[in-house]
Each structure stands twice: as C-alpha cells, then as structure tokens.
Amino acid sequence: MIEAIGNQYVVARPVYSANAFGEEHKKKQRRHKTFLDHLKQCCSCSTQKAKRIALSSFPIASWLPAYRIKEWLLSDIVSGISTGMVAVLQGLAFALLVTVPPGYGLYAAFFPVIIYFFLGTSRHISVGPFPVLSMMVGAVVVRLTPTADTADPTVSNSSVGNDSALDDHKVMVAATVTILSGIIQMLLGVLKLGFVVIYLSESLISGFTTAAAVHVLVSQLKFMLQLTVPAHTDPFSLFKVLISVFSQIEKTNIADLVTSLVILFVVFVVKEINQRYKAKLPVPIPIELIMTVIATGVSYGFDFKNRFKVAVIGEMKSGVSGPITPDAQTLQDTIGDCFGIAVVGFAVAFSVASVYSLKYDYPIDGNQELIALGVSNICGGLFRGFAASTALSRSGVQESTGGKTQIAGLISAIIVLIVILAIGFLLEPLQKSVLAALALGNLKGMLMQFTEIRRLWRKDKYDCIIWIMTFIFAVVLGLGLGLAASVAFQLLTIVFRTQFPKCSMLANVGRSNIYKNRKDYSDIYEPEGVKIFRCPSPLYFANIGFFKRKLIDAVGFSPLRILRKRNKALKKIRKLQKKGLLQVTPKGFICTVDCVKDSDEELDNDKIEELDQPINTTDLPFQIDWNADLPVNIVVPKISLHSLILDFSAVSFLDVSSMRGLKTILQEFIRIQVDVYIVGTDDDFIEKLGRCEFFDDEVKDSIFFLTIHDAVLHILMKKDYSTSKFNPSQEKGAKYDFTVNTNGGLRNRECQVSVETKF
C-alpha cells in the first residue's frame, strides 16, 4: 500500500526477495514471437498495411494534401529562390573539390532535390552537394584517374590524352561512385538498417567535418594561387599538398590571389553581419550571389582571362545530357569508399534533419531518409552528378528565409534548372579562384567547431578525446581511412568505459530508502557489518577482473586470502586438538604449550586447492569464532563484515566468462561467512543464470532482492532473529516490523504481520 502525506509518502509492504515476490505475484505466461511469426506478419497483406506502406514510401502523400497555400506558398517561393541561388554557386564551387568541370555541380544540385521532394521526410533540409562528400568523391576520382605521367601508354591520346577525355573519365568515375553510394544507402534503408548512424556520434561527426574543412581549405589553395599541384590520395596527402604549394609559391597568379582574398574578406564580414542581426533582417544578405555577379562582370569587362591569365569556368554546356551506364571496374574498385560516402552522407543529412524536426515538431524516418537519399544519388549519378547530402549553410538559408516545406526545395531546383538550360553561359568568365573563395566562405561554421573542444572537455572527457582523435585521424590519414580509424577508436572508448567502470560504495542517505555514493553526502547511515557496492556497467570477460579488484579494495580485504589463512589455521587447530594440547573454555582457547609451529616442509605441502575449499569444522567438538582470540601463534585477520550487497541495477548483461568469475567471487565471500546479496537485477538476468547452472549448494537463488532497502532490512531482521530471546517455536510463528529511527538505530515492533518502512 502506498499512502501520500503531503510531499511525502509511506509504503507498507513485506520485504521482498526475488523469490518471495515471484511467489506472491505470479508472472503471466507470454508466448514470444518466433522468426516464423515475424515472417508471417511481414508477408501478410491488408488494406491498412498497404496504405501505411504507400504513405511511408511516399511521404509527400501525407504532407502535400495538408499544405496551407495562403500561409506557406509565398514563404516557400521566397525561400526557394534564395536557396536556389546559393545552390547554383555551391554546386559550381564544390565541383572543384570533385575535380570535375564546374558545370557538373549543377546536376548534383538539381536531380537529388527533385527525387527528395517525393521521397524525403524532412521539410527543411536542402539536398545537394556537401563539401565533405565532395572531398571524399574527389579523392576517389584522383586515385582512379590516369595522369600524364601515369597513364597507360597503350591508351590512345583520343581517350584520355587530352583534357576533354580526361574530364569525361573523371565525370564517369564520380558518377559511378555516386550511383554505388546511392545503391548502398537504398539497400540499408530497405533492410531497415538506419541505426548504423548511431555509430557516428555527434563528437565524431563534428571532428570529422572540421578535419574535412581543413582538407577543403588546403585543396582550394591551388585554385586561389593558380598553381599546378599533383593530386595525392594516400595518408599524409594533406602535408604533401602543402609542401607542393609552398615549393612553387613564387609562381602564384597575383590576380587570382587578390581576387580570392577580397572575396573571402567581404563574405566573412557580411556573414558575420547576417549572424549578428538575423533577428532584424527580413532575409539574410545573399552575399555569395552579389559577389558572383560582381566578380563575373569585372572578369568579363577587364578580360582577366587574357590580361592576367586567370583560370575561368569556361564553356558551360546548355541542356541536360542523357543518362550514363556505370563503369563496372570502378564499381569493384570503390565499394569500400562508397560505403563510407554513403554512411557519412546519411549521417550528416539525418543529423541536420533531426534538428529541424525537433524545432518544428514533426517526425522523420531514418530508414525512409536512407531510401530517399539513395534514390536521389542514384538518379543524380546517372545524369553525371556527384554525391549529395545536405550543406549546413544552404539548409540554414532555406529555413531562415521562411521555407516551410520541400516546395522551397522544388523552387530551388527550378532556379538551378534555369541556369543549366538558359543562363549558364553568363558564368563562363567567372574565375575559379572566386569559386574557391566562396567554398571557403561556407567553411566558417565547420572550422569554428574547434571551439567545441573546451565545451566537450567540461561535459565529457571521452567525447573530447573522440573529437580530437577523429580530427587527427582524418587530417593525417585522409577522409576515408580517417573515418574508419575514428569509428574504430570510438568503439574502443566504449570498451574502455565498460572495462574500467567507476564503482562506488553506497550508504543510506537521510534515514530513508535512498542509497547514494557515501563520499558525496555527510548525513549517511551505514548498518554495522554491511557494505553496499555498486557496479555501473555490464559484466563481461574483459572487466570481471577489474570488478573483483575494485570490490576487494572497497571491502578492505581479499576473501580468498582470508579463506586460505583460516584453512591453514584450522589445520593447526586440528593438530593441537588431536594431541590434547588445546582446551576450550567459555573465555576462549587455552593452549598448554607455548609454541607450536609447522615445519617449513609441512607448510610447503599445503595445496592451494585444499586451502580454497569451504571451511569444515564438523569434526571438531567446538565452534570457532574467527574474530575472537585464537591459540598462540595462530593469527588470522579479523573482519567485521558479515553482509555484502551488490547493486547490479546498472548491469545490463553478463557473459559466460564473467558468470564464472562472479560465481567464484560469491563463493569466496560465502566461505568466510560473509552473506552476499544481489539487488536490482531484472528477471531475464536471473533466468539466464539459472539456464547456465549458476546456482548450487553454496550460491543459491535466494540471494536476489528487489531493492537495496529490501536487502538491508532482510539483513537487519536476520541479525535480530539470531539474537532473539524467543525459543525456536515462538520464533517460527512470530513476525517482526522494523523501522529506522532518527538516530539510525532499529526499533523492533514484535508480532506484526509485515515489514513497514517509513521514510
């Protein structure tokens, strides 16, 4: 019974062990579904199920009928136009990271948006090129593209010898990688494996994107300085690029450098203004568009290409080319890279989508997002685009300019299409250094994540270490190997956290049923001879030894050492008793000789197996109190502990190896007359122990209690029973009620029907 009294409550119930609770409250017999049952359910068909599958596969069918035309349409149009302008510029800029002609970046900014409009569940993200993915695809393109000094001499100049054929080969590689990445994403979604993103923590993604921003920064130097820098894709490639850049720094094109620096300065200043005054500005200042128009006009008007020999975008083909067939050999060579691209692209898109879904209170489906991104990349790759996800800055523009749904994304795709079909030629005079500067202008947010280190260190040192190591791995090893090494390191930190858990000793706080770390509170109550030890992690083969060491440190002695000393002492006592040299009086043992020692040879003959056995005194005519004075020259450490409670409420599982180790620990304590109780476990935990034959004559299933307080009260009652003045027949029929007094002692109410605990 639970009785509320103001802001307090009184609970009156029996003290429950796991067995007693099971006898009083019988569990229902449940039939657990088999694999065949799940298969039948999966293959069953009904009208409701078909409708549910259709709505989940095409989320547009859910939100489009509820579209508020008067309230949302104008905002979506304004947002779509603004986002489309940014998408055009980012598509051109990020194409440089893929090392393909800039015009192909427009395809990556168009086709994925159209597909996501129908299949995506997020209403606010802007799908398209993302610098990290562009870098990862670019690394594969560079690795698989022959250069002038590495090309196969049997290949004719007409295929890869000239720039046009080389560009076509790069586009083919990028498109093939994108298609395979999309297929992987779609398969993961169909198989309901969207949970893979959980292995990429927020700290890992933050460190990885920051390292990718550094790679982007270094990769754009050659465009800003207009230098010929050989491509590097192996580990330490970033440093090799830097060495190559600084070794030929004297060849810098001053016009490109000055233009880049001016663009960077203006973009950074205006972005800071947009951020600081975003509440007052109706829409962010479209600085990228403004600077692109100015830079294109200046380059065309002053003929920068011929006068200063700057590198420009060049010919922009109008129209959309037909779909291509992926290269089979490239598919085989890049499957590992494609898996990394697929996972990173989904992780970034899903994390951004989650932010907006929480902000605007609508659900998103991780598996459907995988399918949407997968089909988007397949379609984009077929039409010569490269891998798409979502750019944080572009999604921010779409949301901040009033975008309500993916109608804004559709409008942005129309803007990109207009550029592809009609006005792309106007951008032909634009310098590549301007695109590089605009790409770097979008990296400010990613580079500013360095400030995360201090915040993470204050919150969780492990997360901070993951961030730092991810950044180092990605910078030193490259994005592909760096991501794999980062995931492996993150999983290793999880092993460390569980292998070395922060165990603690608990004590009663406030004379109630609340038990906390005894080091954190001063008003604690600890029953004499009782210790409560908490393990906050699973038990498995790697940490059971650490758990035992921490437990021994907590109780202050090794039970195995005590057991061996007692068995040795018992051996001596038997010898003295057989020789008639030992007398037992009410005051203790009296030895009739001054000194009795085993020879060194006898001590050496003591077998460890014998000393580890339970203590057996049935052959002696008296009982031995191991905490009392023993005969002369027989010394055994005295212990005041009589009961040990193990709080396993945070132990989610244990394996077979840890099960054997735990049983050994329990046996060692039980053999030195220390009762051990385990609390907080669920029924599955106990059932698993039973299936594995954990229990025997020493370790019994009666050691389990529901809560710490149940175990403590059981111990106190047990000790009170052992000192009871009732005779056995009276004891058997009587029950007691114990309440903790304010002074920490026990008040005994005789002959009550239950144990009532007031707190």
Side-chain angles (χ1 to χ4, degrees):
M1 183 182 73
I2 302 177
E3 182 179 351
I5 305 176
N7 65 343
Q8 298 180 339
Y9 62 88
V10 176
V11 177
R13 67 167 177 82
V15 172
Y16 279 130
S17 66
N19 288 343
F21 184 83
E23 291 175 0
E24 185 169 334
H25 303 276
K26 298 296 183 181
K27 292 179 64 176
K28 294 191 300 182
Q29 293 294 328
R30 292 188 300 157
R31 179 181 177 274
H32 297 281
K33 289 185 177 181
T34 64
F35 175 77
L36 186 60
D37 294 328
H38 288 288
L39 187 61
K40 288 181 180 179
Q41 183 178 0
C42 182
C43 297
S44 64
C45 185
S46 65
T47 304
Q48 292 182 345
K49 185 176 181 180
K51 182 180 179 180
R52 185 172 64 252
I53 293 175
L55 291 176
S56 63
S57 300
F58 296 93
I60 187 175
S62 299
W63 62 264
L64 190 59
Y67 188 81
R68 305 175 189 174
I69 298 178
K70 294 183 179 180
E71 299 177 32
W72 293 351
L73 183 58
L74 182 59
S75 297
D76 279 341
I77 292 175
V78 173
S79 174
I81 294 173
S82 303
T83 307
M85 294 176 179
V86 175
V88 169
L89 300 176
Q90 290 189 348
L92 296 172
F94 297 156
L96 298 180
L97 301 176
V98 188
T99 69
V100 297
Y104 291 98
L106 299 179
Y107 300 153
F110 172 71
F111 290 103
V113 179
I114 299 297
I115 301 299
Y116 191 84
F117 174 77
F118 293 98
L119 302 181
T121 59
S122 174
R123 303 175 189 175
H124 292 87
I125 66 172
S126 175
V127 178
F130 178 56
V132 175
L133 288 189
S134 300
M135 279 290 300
M136 297 177 74
V137 175
V140 180
V141 171
V142 169
R143 190 178 78 239
L144 298 182
T145 300
T147 58
D149 55 344
T150 62
D152 189 342
T154 62
V155 180
S156 62
N157 291 336
S158 62
S159 60
V160 293
N162 53 61
D163 292 341
S164 177
L166 194 62
D167 287 341
D168 290 342
H169 183 76
K170 291 180 178 179
V171 171
M172 174 60 74
V173 173
T176 302
V177 168
T178 300
I179 292 171
L180 183 54
S181 300
I183 292 173
I184 293 173
Q185 288 176 328
M186 187 176 68
L187 289 177
L188 291 176
V190 171
L191 297 175
K192 308 296 183 182
L193 297 178
F195 65 87
V196 296
V197 74
I198 65 177
Y199 293 105
L200 302 178
S201 66
E202 180 183 346
S203 302
L204 187 146
I205 293 176
S206 176
F208 183 76
T209 53
T210 306
V214 174
H215 277 281
V216 173
L217 173 63
V218 173
S219 68
Q220 296 301 295
L221 290 178
K222 64 180 180 181
F223 297 107
M224 296 176 63
L225 305 178
Q226 200 187 133
L227 301 175
T228 302
V229 178
H232 299 281
T233 60
D234 53 333
F236 306 101
S237 59
L238 183 139
F239 305 103
K240 294 177 182 178
V241 171
L242 286 175
I243 292 173
S244 181
V245 167
F246 286 108
S247 64
Q248 50 180 322
I249 195 72
E250 70 279 357
K251 299 178 183 178
T252 300
N253 187 304
I254 302 300
D256 274 324
L257 176 60
V258 172
T259 303
S260 303
L261 294 178
V262 171
I263 295 291
L264 273 176
F265 176 77
V266 175
V267 169
F268 279 151
V269 170
V270 176
K271 281 185 175 291
E272 187 65 29
I273 294 173
N274 285 338
Q275 179 65 26
R276 184 165 297 184
Y277 299 102
K278 62 181 179 180
K280 298 181 180 180
L281 293 172
V283 293
I285 301 172
I287 186 59
E288 291 95 344
L289 176 62
I290 295 173
M291 296 308 299
T292 300
V293 172
I294 295 174
T296 304
V298 171
S299 176
Y300 177 77
F302 291 94
D303 194 15
F304 276 12
K305 179 179 179 181
N306 295 320
R307 291 182 61 183
F308 301 108
K309 307 300 180 183
V310 300
V312 297
I313 291 179
E315 181 183 2
M316 294 275 289
K317 297 180 181 179
S318 298
V320 179
S321 303
I324 62 172
T325 302
D327 181 63
Q329 186 59 44
T330 303
L331 290 175
Q332 298 177 23
D333 295 340
T334 61
I335 186 168
D337 301 281
C338 292
F339 187 83
I341 292 170
V343 172
V344 172
F346 168 62
V348 173
F350 188 77
S351 61
V352 176
S354 298
V355 172
Y356 291 126
S357 70
L358 292 174
K359 183 176 180 179
Y360 293 98
D361 191 24
Y362 62 86
I364 58 173
D365 184 348
N367 294 314
Q368 181 61 27
E369 284 293 293
L370 270 171
I371 295 174
L373 290 172
V375 178
S376 298
N377 279 321
I378 292 173
C379 184
L382 288 174
F383 287 92
R384 295 177 171 82
F386 49 84
S389 177
T390 181
L392 283 68
S393 58
R394 192 170 62 248
S395 296
V397 169
Q398 180 167 315
E399 187 265 344
S400 62
T401 53
K404 304 297 183 183
T405 65
Q406 282 300 327
I407 294 290
L410 183 63
I411 300 297
S412 71
I414 294 174
I415 298 298
V416 176
L417 183 62
I418 292 173
V419 175
I420 294 174
L421 298 178
I423 62 175
F425 69 93
L426 296 176
L427 297 173
E428 291 178 0
L430 184 63
Q431 298 168 241
K432 288 185 177 180
S433 60
V434 173
L435 293 178
L438 292 176
L440 296 183
N442 288 293
L443 299 179
K444 180 183 177 183
M446 296 167 66
L447 291 172
M448 287 299 292
Q449 292 182 104
F450 275 111
T451 58
E452 291 285 296
I453 297 178
R454 180 179 298 179
R455 181 182 66 85
L456 287 174
W457 184 261
R458 290 197 300 266
K459 290 185 175 181
D460 191 318
K461 293 181 175 58
Y462 275 106
D463 280 343
C464 184
I465 293 172
I466 290 172
W467 195 103
I468 294 172
M469 295 307 299
T470 299
F471 177 81
I472 293 174
F473 287 145
V475 167
V476 175
L477 301 178
L479 297 179
L481 288 175
L483 177 63
S486 301
V487 173
F489 179 80
Q490 179 179 247
L491 296 177
L492 191 62
T493 62
I494 297 174
V495 174
F496 281 137
R497 294 192 202 201
T498 58
Q499 188 173 352
F500 306 105
K502 294 183 179 180
C503 301
S504 57
M505 296 297 294
L506 306 184
N508 185 287
V509 179
R511 306 297 193 270
S512 64
N513 70 330
I514 299 173
Y515 293 81
K516 296 287 186 179
N517 191 332
R518 65 186 308 277
K519 295 181 180 179
D520 296 334
Y521 298 89
S522 56
D523 57 332
I524 61 174
Y525 163 65
E526 296 181 282
E528 184 179 355
V530 180
K531 287 188 179 294
I532 308 167
F533 183 79
R534 183 174 187 270
C535 177
S537 76
L539 291 177
Y540 60 103
F541 64 93
N543 71 351
I544 188 65
F546 180 82
F547 168 80
K548 183 176 182 179
R549 290 195 299 272
K550 296 294 289 187
L551 178 59
I552 290 174
D553 291 341
V555 300
F557 61 86
S558 168
L560 183 59
R561 179 172 174 268
I562 299 294
L563 177 63
R564 290 174 177 175
K565 285 186 173 292
R566 287 186 178 180
N567 271 320
K568 280 190 174 184
L570 184 60
K571 185 177 180 181
K572 295 179 180 180
I573 291 174
R574 282 197 178 99
K575 288 183 177 181
L576 292 174
Q577 194 266 338
K578 287 181 179 180
K579 294 178 180 180
L581 302 177
L582 186 65
Q583 296 180 0
V584 181
T585 68
K587 294 185 177 181
F589 291 101
I590 297 178
C591 189
T592 58
V593 295
D594 293 335
C595 183
V596 178
K597 282 187 178 181
D598 284 342
S599 66
D600 293 339
E601 184 177 345
E602 288 178 318
L603 291 175
D604 291 339
N605 289 333
D606 287 333
K607 295 181 179 179
I608 296 297
E609 293 80 2
E610 295 178 359
L611 297 179
D612 292 346
Q613 295 303 310
I615 297 174
N616 185 7
T617 59
T618 56
D619 60 325
L620 295 177
F622 49 80
Q623 293 294 324
I624 301 176
D625 182 359
W626 295 104
N627 286 324
D629 292 333
L630 298 178
V632 180
N633 295 322
I634 300 179
V635 179
V636 175
K638 299 177 181 180
I639 58 173
S640 59
L641 181 68
H642 58 73
S643 299
L644 174 65
I645 300 174
L646 301 179
D647 180 9
F648 277 9
S649 56
V651 178
S652 56
F653 71 89
L654 76 167
D655 62 3
V656 176
S657 298
S658 63
M659 203 178 297
R660 287 195 292 265
L662 177 63
K663 184 171 184 177
T664 301
I665 294 171
L666 299 183
Q667 287 174 334
E668 291 174 359
F669 277 102
I670 292 171
R671 289 171 182 177
I672 61 170
Q673 299 174 352
V674 175
D675 296 329
V676 184
Y677 304 92
I678 299 177
V679 303
T681 61
D682 58 19
D683 294 340
D684 292 336
F685 187 98
I686 303 175
E687 290 173 4
K688 181 178 180 180
L689 294 180
R691 290 194 304 269
C692 296
E693 300 179 353
F694 182 84
F695 304 110
D696 55 21
D697 293 338
E698 286 185 286
V699 181
K700 302 178 180 180
D701 60 359
S702 59
I703 64 175
F704 292 92
F705 281 78
L706 298 188
T707 67
I708 298 176
H709 206 53
D710 283 307
V712 169
L713 292 178
H714 171 79
I715 293 168
L716 296 178
M717 286 188 295
K718 183 177 180 181
K719 291 303 175 185
D720 187 83
Y721 287 161
S722 65
T723 58
S724 173
K725 295 181 180 179
F726 289 140
N727 61 44
S729 61
Q730 289 176 315
E731 252 185 72
K732 184 176 181 180
K735 292 187 178 179
Y736 299 88
D737 183 19
F738 292 90
T739 303
V740 179
N741 286 332
T742 55
N743 62 1
L746 280 175
R747 183 168 67 252
N748 183 2
R749 300 176 183 176
E750 299 181 1
C751 299
Q752 299 292 319
V753 296
S754 66
V755 176
E756 180 179 341
T757 307
K758 294 183 179 181
F759 34 83

